[in-house]
Amino acid sequence: MKSKQSVHNTDLHIISKSATVPADINAEAAILAACLVEKSASSIAVQFLRGHNVFYLESHKVIWGLLIDLDSKNIPIDILTVYNESKKKGTKITIGDLTDLASRVSSSAHIEAHCMIIYELYMRRKAIEEANIIMTKAYDLKQDIFTTYDYTYNSLKMVDPSNIFDSNTLASDVVRGSKEPPRKRLCGELIREGEIALFFGDEGCGKSMFSFQLAKNVSEGKPMFAIDGFENDGKPVKSVIFDFELTRANLAERYHHEGTFENFNENLHRVALKEDSLDANLSSTRIIDSIISWIENNDPGFVVIDNITYISEEITDNAIAGRLMKKLKALTMSRFPLSVLIIGHTPKRDKTQPIESKHFAGGKAWSNFCTSQLAIVTSLKDPGIKYIKHLKSRSGLKLFDSDNVCEMEISFERGTAQFLHVGNGLETDHIRYMSNDEKNDQIDAMIEDLNDKGWSLRKISAELKRQFGETVSKTTVQRRLAALKSQRTADRAADNEDEN
């Protein structure tokens, strides 16, 4: 039986002598060169490849080891610091080797793509190595086959146990964080670069109009309103709206009047489903994957998703929420300064109460993943007024809270629709007392709406408690549903009798 050492030294070509070892020397050189000439490149590469010496060429392995050592000591990485580290370690890497390597690139463009290439090739080499070991064990009749299967399971499971984590001391992460670029404001503290914001409101309150206007201003590098709380510190960035709400005709009605068009710049894009896909039974997974793929291929700086209800009617599904939000979180971290605004809605609720995070239809399944959360509400005292309230902020102050909501009205200047800021005020100025009859009407409307969506009696009861603060038992929900159905039947009979 072969020794463990001899098995691990199995030739990578054992399966096919004519096969080429998976490696890309040029991509390896490009990554190392970029790290030597640009500070940001070394930060990206170390973050992406930390814990793995994925390089194939032996000299590249040595240089990468030197870079990792310098990074762990918080020493800046350049040709001189790497050369000094090389002398301390007694390696054969010379100043000429490093200078020659650095001359191969002029910038760190595409370094993430290069890291992905060599990481995948490294994993292929590891897979070949493990496959050869497993094959050798399987051919060896002296080996217990169940032990071989155990080895197979454990080896494939343990190939790269650290690939999803980046472990450092807290002190070193604070130092590294201080060197990262600041997160600029795109719309005051409502949303900054690199953040995911959740924006929701009642039906017909102007969520899409507000979001289109914000995306337009971000694409131009301008503030939406010239007031405190709406500052834009960034430059013009490519912005995109994933629009599942409006048709082209809807857009024309809103942004075209008597031959005059809204002046949208070439930096602002709209993505909508193809017409032949509108009636297709598209799964939430396919829609989510298509959104992520478009972002990865087109590299926008600001993204609006309008509206998540189209992705899945069951937006309370934690699995769907987690799948989309985790993928968006990964993108905002790897493609800084990408920012995302996700639009949702509220179910029927008690509108005499201040808007809160709990009123978002998806609940905590979505809001736990977002950095910022804001809502738009129609004033009950003046339906022409809409107000913005900031509900959650991890990175800054909440300027527009219940004591200082941002008040707006819709204007049709130049024939196109847009929001104008008209003042700030108390949220209580925009809500009013609701009579018992009005509250019961709203509760009945919610019961019908949720029942039509297939919710169980228990789930409807819990939602009524959450929205209205009142306990409505399952039995009461069932009784009210029966009464509502009887009333609808009687109404239809009366209508038929009138027609006859």
Side-chain angles (χ1 to χ4, degrees), residues 295-309:
I295 295 173
E296 290 175 336
N297 292 329
N298 293 275
D299 202 26
F302 183 65
V303 171
V304 175
I305 300 176
D306 184 15
N307 165 314
I308 58 171
T309 306

Side-chain angles (χ1 to χ4, degrees), residues 459-476:
K459 195 173 179 182
I460 292 174
S461 175
E463 186 66 13
L464 292 174
K465 175 68 173 179
R466 194 170 75 91
Q467 294 289 345
F468 291 93
E470 294 189 4
T471 300
V472 183
S473 68
K474 292 189 301 177
T475 304
T476 301

Side-chain angles (χ1 to χ4, degrees), residues 31-255:
I31 292 170
L32 295 174
C35 291
L36 292 173
V37 299
E38 284 196 20
K39 175 183 175 182
S40 60
S42 59
S43 176
I44 293 171
V46 169
Q47 178 73 19
F48 201 99
L49 302 174
R50 177 177 291 276
H52 315 289
N53 202 330
V54 302
F55 295 84
Y56 179 69
L57 199 64
E58 193 59 37
S59 61
H60 290 171
K61 287 184 178 181
V62 174
I63 294 173
W64 179 250
L66 296 172
L67 297 182
I68 292 294
D69 288 342
L70 289 173
D71 180 75
S72 66
K73 300 172 184 176
N74 289 319
I75 298 176
I77 293 173
D78 56 34
I79 293 175
L80 291 178
T81 57
V82 174
Y83 176 61
N84 287 335
E85 189 70 12
S86 174
K87 288 194 297 183
K88 291 179 183 178
K89 300 285 186 182
T91 76
K92 295 180 180 181
I93 302 300
T94 67
I95 190 73
D97 295 331
L98 297 173
T99 303
D100 178 63
L101 190 61
S103 67
R104 299 191 185 189
V105 297
S106 57
S107 74
S108 61
H110 312 302
I111 188 169
E112 288 184 4
H114 292 153
C115 286
M116 180 60 76
I117 288 171
I118 72 164
Y119 182 79
E120 289 181 355
L121 291 171
Y122 160 74
M123 291 304 295
R124 288 181 182 276
R125 296 195 300 273
K126 291 292 291 183
I128 293 170
E129 180 183 341
E130 293 296 338
N132 286 333
I133 294 170
I134 294 166
M135 186 170 64
T136 302
K137 286 178 175 289
Y139 271 114
D140 189 348
L141 298 180
K142 295 179 181 179
Q143 290 273 359
D144 181 85
I145 190 60
F146 296 104
T147 302
T148 299
Y149 268 92
D150 285 341
Y151 174 85
T152 302
Y153 172 78
N154 291 321
S155 63
L156 294 178
K157 179 182 177 182
M158 300 294 288
V159 165
D160 268 303
S162 62
N163 67 328
I164 64 171
F165 294 115
D166 179 16
S167 177
N168 303 287
T169 64
L170 179 58
S172 65
D173 272 350
V174 171
V175 172
R176 291 170 66 184
S178 68
K179 298 175 183 178
E180 293 180 357
R183 296 175 182 267
K184 297 178 181 178
R185 296 174 295 184
L186 300 179
C187 188
E189 299 298 344
L190 295 176
I191 183 167
R192 287 175 172 260
E193 290 178 334
E195 291 189 344
I196 300 176
L198 191 60
F199 179 45
F200 66 95
D202 300 324
E203 184 177 354
C205 63
K207 299 184 293 294
S208 295
M209 185 182 298
F210 182 93
S211 302
F212 271 69
Q213 189 171 340
L214 175 59
K216 177 179 183 293
N217 282 274
V218 171
S219 72
E220 297 171 349
K222 299 177 181 178
M224 184 167 168
F225 301 137
I227 64 169
D228 290 343
F230 276 79
E231 299 89 350
N232 186 343
D233 304 323
K235 298 178 180 178
V237 297
K238 182 177 182 179
S239 303
V240 61
I241 302 166
F242 287 92
D243 186 5
F244 301 108
E245 290 282 306
L246 304 178
T247 65
R248 289 192 178 98
N250 296 146
L251 292 172
E253 290 173 359
R254 183 173 293 181
Y255 300 114

Side-chain angles (χ1 to χ4, degrees), residues 340-402:
V340 182
L341 181 70
I342 300 175
I343 303 177
H345 71 275
T346 61
K348 292 180 173 63
R349 64 181 183 89
D350 183 353
K351 296 182 181 180
T352 66
Q353 299 301 313
I355 190 79
E356 297 178 25
S357 295
K358 70 179 183 180
H359 293 131
F360 171 62
K364 290 187 177 180
W366 295 85
S367 60
N368 284 346
F369 288 96
C370 70
T371 312
S372 179
Q373 195 174 30
L374 51 149
I376 183 169
V377 184
T378 298
S379 172
L380 292 180
K381 293 187 176 180
D382 183 354
I385 298 295
K386 320 290 181 182
Y387 67 86
I388 295 291
K389 182 179 178 182
H390 199 182
L391 301 168
K392 173 184 177 181
S393 175
R394 284 184 183 163
S395 60
L397 301 173
K398 291 190 294 185
L399 180 60
F400 301 114
D401 58 13
S402 58

